[in-house]
Amino acid sequence: MRPDTTIYVVDDDEAVRDSLQIMLEAHGFGVKLFGSGEEFLAALTPDMDGCVLLDVNMPGLNGFAVQQRLAGSGLPVIVVTGHGDVPSAVKAMKAGAVDFVEKPFADTVILDAVDRALIQRDATKRAQHVEAEIKARIDRLTPREREVFEQLVLGQPNKIIAHRLSISPRTVEIHRSRVMEKMQAGSLAELVRLADRAGIVAKP
């Protein structure tokens, strides 16, 4: 458990909000409470970190509508409902919820769900950091090195690359060496994996 992590509780039931706050703070979490989806979305900022405990059945914007608005925010969502059924669970999970918890719930169920949500958040952050680093390496390539890089990712041999780019095979070899160095790739297979992680689509 991490005391520097904030859990955002979004529920129209004041008793549920207060109960979750007491329990979560007792386990070392920071907690912020919101009585409606609209109130939470109005307070949402890009630097908010942690996870969201989100009630499904609220007046105004329901939990599913709020969950859709959170797409891309990086905040993992745990959906909470007092009227759980299989279709609702499937809908929540398909929309990206980490977990689905039915009221009334035991403290351990919520804590386990929060733990899973934070593990997912940390994994997502690590993946985003890696992708950003790979893209930064690609940005350091010169225009010609980028062309050679894309042809290498397509699996083209040096002679074909030379022909396509109207340069000599020796020049291709020089650019290839620089691409491997700048991309910090020890092999062509690794170079392909890096391109894939960065979402690079090579031009045939």
Side-chain angles (χ1 to χ4, degrees):
M1 299 301 181
R2 285 156 283 191
D4 58 342
T5 297
T6 301
I7 312 301
Y8 304 94
V9 177
V10 187
D11 197 308
D12 63 311
D13 189 324
E14 184 177 1
V16 171
R17 294 198 305 271
D18 291 345
S19 175
L20 284 170
Q21 181 176 28
I22 292 169
M23 185 269 290
L24 290 167
E25 287 182 346
H27 285 82
F29 291 106
V31 180
K32 291 189 178 180
L33 305 179
F34 302 90
S36 69
E38 291 88 345
E39 181 186 353
F40 173 63
L41 291 175
L44 186 65
T45 60
D47 62 341
M48 286 170 67
D49 193 18
C51 76
V52 183
L53 283 170
L54 180 62
D55 186 32
V56 170
N57 299 293
M58 295 185 291
L61 282 178
N62 64 27
F64 292 123
V66 175
Q67 186 184 8
Q68 290 172 349
R69 304 274 184 95
L70 287 174
S73 69
L75 286 170
V77 173
I78 299 164
V79 173
V80 181
T81 181
H83 308 282
D85 55 20
V86 172
S88 294
V90 171
K91 185 176 180 180
M93 300 304 284
K94 282 186 175 180
V98 174
D99 218 330
F100 183 90
V101 179
E102 294 183 60
K103 301 176 183 176
F105 42 75
D107 291 355
T108 54
V109 173
I110 290 293
L111 291 170
D112 287 346
V114 167
D115 192 42
R116 285 191 293 273
L118 296 177
I119 289 172
Q120 177 177 299
R121 177 205 61 175
D122 292 345
T124 299
K125 280 186 173 183
R126 286 193 297 271
Q128 290 172 340
H129 176 76
V130 169
E131 289 167 10
E133 170 58 27
I134 294 170
K135 288 179 179 179
R137 296 177 196 175
I138 292 171
D139 288 342
R140 289 194 285 269
L141 299 176
T142 66
R144 179 62 86 187
E145 288 167 353
R146 175 61 184 262
E147 290 177 330
V148 171
F149 166 69
E150 291 184 350
Q151 293 299 312
L152 289 171
V153 170
L154 285 171
Q156 300 298 342
N158 288 359
K159 287 184 178 180
I160 298 299
I161 296 174
H163 176 72
R164 288 186 172 181
L165 301 182
S166 300
I167 55 179
S168 71
R170 174 57 183 161
T171 301
V172 172
E173 188 62 40
I174 292 171
H175 286 310
R176 176 174 178 147
S177 176
R178 289 173 179 168
V179 167
M180 300 296 282
E181 180 181 356
K182 289 183 179 181
M183 291 299 299
Q184 300 177 31
S187 66
L188 182 57
E190 185 177 356
L191 188 70
V192 172
R193 285 195 295 270
L194 291 172
D196 183 62
R197 286 292 299 273
I200 299 300
V201 179
K203 300 174 184 177

